[in-house]
Amino acid sequence: MPSVTLIQHPLIQHKLTLMRQKDTSTAKFRQLLEEISMLLAYEVTRDLPLEKVAIETPMTTMDAPMLSGKKVVLISIMRAGQGILDGMLELMPSARVGHIGLYRNPKTHVPVEYYFKVPTDVNEREMLVVDPMLATGNSAVAAVYRLKETQPQSIKFVCLLAAPEGIAHFHEEHPDVPIFTAAIDERLDEHGYILPGLGDAGDRMFGTK
Ligand code: URA
């Protein structure tokens, strides 16, 4: 069954409301996205496997839990994915990182790939694909098809806001990839933007509009 996890921690909801407000500055928007991304990372990595390792505390020895297996690989869908990536890297500084660049043809909304750089050894790694906005789902669907070619151990898709249309489209194509989001909004407008949404995440992060 396709899975969608709505992460509704009060801190996330509060910060998301601040991000949605049109008068929130670029600097504040970026800071909030980074903070929310840390909280999302905390939830999304809940099931990472642990193993016991022998350590010495100043008092005695013990078998203590540490993450086992290879490091997670974070994939940013450029350019807005960078905001989530930065926050997640604060929490998981050793994670491996990849980038995929897709732009949306403004008329057809069809994604066109312009950049792809992903670590070569992802086979035994969990892959977290991040993009703040799951709108039409076209970019996410295309990115995940491309990333599946690298054969990661598993894939999760993490966003901030999702439209019902984007979730449906994504799970038609990738029912095996769980979605984690902080909110599911009402719908898309005629340009493929999420309503009520927060506008263009890339423009708001980088101040390009
Ligand atoms: N991308 C955005 O940045 N915002 C939307 O509302 C939809 C896609």
Side-chain angles (χ1 to χ4, degrees):
M1 274 299 278
S3 133
V4 181
T5 303
L6 196 51
I7 303 176
Q8 287 189 303
H9 191 287
L11 285 174
I12 295 182
Q13 296 308 309
H14 177 84
K15 288 173 191 294
L16 179 54
T17 299
L18 296 175
M19 288 183 74
R20 288 182 188 273
Q21 290 172 319
K22 65 178 185 185
D23 293 332
T24 298
S25 70
T26 299
K28 190 73 189 165
F29 188 90
R30 261 206 303 264
Q31 181 199 330
L32 288 162
L33 181 56
E34 196 169 322
E35 289 168 0
I36 291 183
S37 303
M38 282 192 252
L39 297 164
L40 291 176
Y42 177 82
E43 286 295 333
V44 170
T45 53
R46 235 174 220 296
D47 58 356
L48 284 182
L50 292 169
E51 64 183 338
K52 288 280 174 71
V53 296
I55 62 162
E56 281 182 44
T57 77
M59 309 298 288
T60 183
T61 58
M62 73 175 286
D63 289 333
M66 289 194 85
L67 291 172
S68 74
K70 292 204 174 176
K71 305 278 186 298
V72 166
V73 57
L74 302 174
I75 306 290
S76 162
I77 301 183
M78 289 156 66
R79 68 184 161 142
Q82 191 66 39
I84 298 190
L85 177 65
D86 290 344
M88 290 200 168
L89 280 173
E90 285 285 317
L91 212 60
M92 297 181 277
S94 313
R96 303 296 185 259
V97 176
H99 289 87
I100 179 164
L102 300 159
Y103 69 85
R104 226 174 27 155
N105 180 309
K107 289 220 172 70
T108 61
H109 300 168
V110 171
V112 183
E113 183 181 312
Y114 65 88
Y115 189 80
F116 189 83
K117 191 85 180 175
V118 169
T120 47
D121 61 338
V122 297
N123 303 69
E124 292 166 40
R125 297 183 194 277
E126 170 156 321
M127 185 176 269
L128 303 180
V129 182
V130 303
D131 190 352
M133 312 298 273
L134 181 61
T136 61
N138 290 339
S139 299
V141 164
V144 170
Y145 271 124
R146 184 74 172 86
L147 291 162
K148 279 181 172 173
E149 290 173 17
T150 67
Q151 300 186 319
Q153 181 184 287
S154 62
I155 305 182
K156 290 175 180 166
F157 184 82
V158 188
C159 59
L160 190 61
L161 285 189
E165 298 91 325
I167 293 174
H169 180 203
F170 186 84
H171 271 157
E172 260 164 40
E173 303 288 332
H174 299 295
D176 53 322
V177 177
I179 296 172
F180 293 78
T181 183
I184 301 174
D185 273 12
E186 277 170 43
R187 64 181 176 88
L188 297 179
D189 74 3
E190 62 279 19
H191 305 292
Y193 277 81
I194 298 177
L195 291 175
L198 50 70
D200 188 296
D203 282 340
R204 295 204 60 193
M205 275 174 57
F206 298 115
T208 39
K209 215 176 209 171

Short mmCIF file of all heavy atoms in Angstrom, two decimals, residues 1-2 13 15 22 33 39 54 66 72 91 99 124 132-133 138 145 153 165 168 173 180 188 193:
data_model
loop_
_atom_site.label_atom_id
_atom_site.label_comp_id
_atom_site.label_asym_id
_atom_site.label_seq_id
_atom_site.Cartn_x
_atom_site.Cartn_y
_atom_site.Cartn_z
N MET A 1 0.85 -1.21 0.00
CA MET A 1 0.00 0.00 0.00
C MET A 1 0.87 1.26 0.00
O MET A 1 1.76 1.39 0.84
CB MET A 1 -0.87 0.01 1.27
CG MET A 1 -2.17 -0.75 1.14
SD MET A 1 -3.23 -0.06 -0.14
CE MET A 1 -4.01 1.28 0.73
N PRO A 2 0.61 2.22 -0.90
CA PRO A 2 1.37 3.47 -0.87
C PRO A 2 1.19 4.15 0.48
O PRO A 2 0.10 4.14 1.04
CB PRO A 2 0.74 4.32 -1.97
CG PRO A 2 -0.04 3.40 -2.80
CD PRO A 2 -0.41 2.22 -1.96
N GLN A 13 4.27 22.73 12.55
CA GLN A 13 3.08 23.44 12.08
C GLN A 13 3.24 24.96 12.28
O GLN A 13 2.91 25.75 11.40
CB GLN A 13 1.83 22.93 12.81
CG GLN A 13 1.52 21.48 12.52
CD GLN A 13 1.45 21.18 11.03
OE1 GLN A 13 0.75 21.86 10.27
NE2 GLN A 13 2.20 20.18 10.59
N LYS A 15 6.07 26.72 12.54
CA LYS A 15 7.10 27.26 11.65
C LYS A 15 6.60 27.31 10.20
O LYS A 15 6.91 28.23 9.44
CB LYS A 15 8.38 26.42 11.75
CG LYS A 15 9.12 26.62 13.07
CD LYS A 15 10.28 25.64 13.20
CE LYS A 15 10.87 25.61 14.59
NZ LYS A 15 11.52 26.88 14.98
N LYS A 22 3.21 35.81 3.43
CA LYS A 22 3.89 36.43 2.29
C LYS A 22 4.93 37.46 2.69
O LYS A 22 5.85 37.74 1.93
CB LYS A 22 2.88 37.03 1.30
CG LYS A 22 2.07 38.16 1.84
CD LYS A 22 1.15 38.70 0.77
CE LYS A 22 0.43 39.90 1.32
NZ LYS A 22 -0.54 40.44 0.47
N LEU A 33 12.93 26.97 7.05
CA LEU A 33 12.98 25.73 6.27
C LEU A 33 14.05 24.79 6.82
O LEU A 33 13.86 23.58 6.93
CB LEU A 33 13.22 26.04 4.79
CG LEU A 33 13.27 24.82 3.86
CD1 LEU A 33 11.99 23.98 3.97
CD2 LEU A 33 13.46 25.24 2.41
N LEU A 39 13.57 18.78 11.92
CA LEU A 39 12.49 18.06 12.60
C LEU A 39 11.93 16.96 11.70
O LEU A 39 11.59 15.87 12.16
CB LEU A 39 11.38 19.05 13.00
CG LEU A 39 11.82 20.12 14.02
CD1 LEU A 39 10.83 21.27 14.07
CD2 LEU A 39 11.99 19.48 15.40
N ALA A 54 30.62 -1.86 21.76
CA ALA A 54 31.24 -1.78 23.09
C ALA A 54 31.94 -0.43 23.22
O ALA A 54 32.74 -0.05 22.35
CB ALA A 54 32.24 -2.91 23.25
N MET A 66 24.45 2.33 18.31
CA MET A 66 24.90 3.28 17.29
C MET A 66 24.25 2.89 15.97
O MET A 66 23.84 1.74 15.79
CB MET A 66 26.43 3.22 17.13
CG MET A 66 27.15 3.82 18.32
SD MET A 66 28.89 4.11 17.97
CE MET A 66 28.83 5.70 17.17
N VAL A 72 23.22 7.21 5.25
CA VAL A 72 22.09 7.61 4.41
C VAL A 72 22.60 8.47 3.25
O VAL A 72 23.60 9.17 3.39
CB VAL A 72 21.12 8.43 5.29
CG1 VAL A 72 20.09 9.18 4.47
CG2 VAL A 72 20.46 7.54 6.33
N LEU A 91 21.70 17.64 10.97
CA LEU A 91 21.41 16.51 11.86
C LEU A 91 22.22 15.27 11.48
O LEU A 91 22.53 14.43 12.31
CB LEU A 91 19.91 16.19 11.76
CG LEU A 91 19.21 15.66 12.98
CD1 LEU A 91 19.31 16.65 14.12
CD2 LEU A 91 17.74 15.39 12.65
N HIS A 99 22.67 15.33 -6.15
CA HIS A 99 21.81 16.40 -6.68
C HIS A 99 21.21 15.95 -8.00
O HIS A 99 21.90 15.33 -8.82
CB HIS A 99 22.60 17.68 -6.93
CG HIS A 99 23.04 18.36 -5.67
ND1 HIS A 99 24.22 18.04 -5.03
CD2 HIS A 99 22.46 19.34 -4.95
CE1 HIS A 99 24.34 18.81 -3.95
NE2 HIS A 99 23.29 19.60 -3.89
N GLU A 124 23.68 -0.08 -0.85
CA GLU A 124 23.34 -0.48 0.52
C GLU A 124 22.93 0.72 1.37
O GLU A 124 23.04 0.68 2.59
CB GLU A 124 24.53 -1.21 1.15
CG GLU A 124 24.80 -2.54 0.49
CD GLU A 124 26.15 -3.10 0.88
OE1 GLU A 124 26.53 -2.98 2.05
OE2 GLU A 124 26.83 -3.62 -0.01
N PRO A 132 10.91 20.68 -1.32
CA PRO A 132 9.88 21.22 -0.44
C PRO A 132 8.45 21.05 -0.95
O PRO A 132 7.54 20.90 -0.16
CB PRO A 132 10.22 22.71 -0.32
CG PRO A 132 11.57 22.87 -0.86
CD PRO A 132 11.89 21.69 -1.71
N MET A 133 8.26 21.12 -2.28
CA MET A 133 6.90 21.18 -2.80
C MET A 133 6.58 19.97 -3.69
O MET A 133 7.19 19.79 -4.74
CB MET A 133 6.72 22.45 -3.63
CG MET A 133 7.21 23.72 -2.96
SD MET A 133 6.35 24.12 -1.45
CE MET A 133 4.98 25.04 -2.08
N ASN A 138 5.26 15.90 -11.14
CA ASN A 138 6.02 15.53 -12.34
C ASN A 138 7.52 15.43 -12.08
O ASN A 138 8.16 14.47 -12.50
CB ASN A 138 5.77 16.55 -13.47
CG ASN A 138 4.37 16.45 -14.02
OD1 ASN A 138 3.72 15.42 -13.88
ND2 ASN A 138 3.89 17.50 -14.65
N TYR A 145 12.28 7.98 -10.80
CA TYR A 145 12.59 6.99 -11.87
C TYR A 145 14.09 6.96 -12.14
O TYR A 145 14.70 5.91 -12.25
CB TYR A 145 11.83 7.30 -13.16
CG TYR A 145 10.47 6.65 -13.22
CD1 TYR A 145 9.32 7.39 -13.42
CD2 TYR A 145 10.35 5.26 -13.07
CE1 TYR A 145 8.08 6.79 -13.47
CE2 TYR A 145 9.10 4.65 -13.12
CZ TYR A 145 7.97 5.42 -13.32
OH TYR A 145 6.74 4.82 -13.36
N GLN A 153 19.15 0.98 -1.67
CA GLN A 153 18.49 -0.05 -0.85
C GLN A 153 17.00 0.27 -0.67
O GLN A 153 16.15 -0.62 -0.72
CB GLN A 153 19.18 -0.06 0.51
CG GLN A 153 18.68 -1.05 1.50
CD GLN A 153 19.42 -0.82 2.81
OE1 GLN A 153 20.60 -1.14 2.93
NE2 GLN A 153 18.75 -0.24 3.77
N GLU A 165 -3.21 16.18 -5.67
CA GLU A 165 -2.95 15.73 -7.05
C GLU A 165 -1.53 15.17 -7.17
O GLU A 165 -1.29 14.19 -7.88
CB GLU A 165 -3.08 16.92 -8.03
CG GLU A 165 -4.46 17.56 -8.09
CD GLU A 165 -4.63 18.73 -7.11
OE1 GLU A 165 -4.08 18.68 -6.01
OE2 GLU A 165 -5.36 19.67 -7.48
N ALA A 168 -1.28 11.72 -5.49
CA ALA A 168 -1.92 10.67 -6.32
C ALA A 168 -1.02 10.31 -7.50
O ALA A 168 -0.80 9.13 -7.79
CB ALA A 168 -3.28 11.17 -6.80
N GLU A 173 2.80 6.20 -9.93
CA GLU A 173 4.06 5.80 -10.57
C GLU A 173 5.00 5.07 -9.62
O GLU A 173 5.74 4.19 -10.03
CB GLU A 173 4.79 7.05 -11.12
CG GLU A 173 3.98 7.88 -12.09
CD GLU A 173 3.80 7.20 -13.45
OE1 GLU A 173 4.66 6.41 -13.85
OE2 GLU A 173 2.77 7.48 -14.10
N PHE A 180 6.72 11.56 2.97
CA PHE A 180 6.63 12.23 4.28
C PHE A 180 6.43 13.70 4.01
O PHE A 180 7.21 14.30 3.26
CB PHE A 180 7.93 12.02 5.08
CG PHE A 180 8.14 10.58 5.49
CD1 PHE A 180 8.62 9.66 4.59
CD2 PHE A 180 7.85 10.17 6.77
CE1 PHE A 180 8.80 8.34 4.95
CE2 PHE A 180 8.03 8.85 7.15
CZ PHE A 180 8.50 7.93 6.24
N LEU A 188 -4.12 22.30 -6.59
CA LEU A 188 -3.22 23.08 -7.45
C LEU A 188 -4.02 24.16 -8.16
O LEU A 188 -5.20 23.98 -8.45
CB LEU A 188 -2.61 22.17 -8.51
CG LEU A 188 -1.72 21.04 -8.04
CD1 LEU A 188 -1.23 20.22 -9.23
CD2 LEU A 188 -0.53 21.58 -7.23
N TYR A 193 0.68 25.53 -9.19
CA TYR A 193 1.14 25.97 -7.87
C TYR A 193 0.16 25.47 -6.80
O TYR A 193 -1.03 25.34 -7.06
CB TYR A 193 1.27 27.49 -7.80
CG TYR A 193 2.60 27.96 -8.36
CD1 TYR A 193 2.78 28.07 -9.74
CD2 TYR A 193 3.68 28.19 -7.52
CE1 TYR A 193 4.00 28.44 -10.27
CE2 TYR A 193 4.91 28.57 -8.05
CZ TYR A 193 5.06 28.68 -9.42
OH TYR A 193 6.28 29.04 -9.93
#
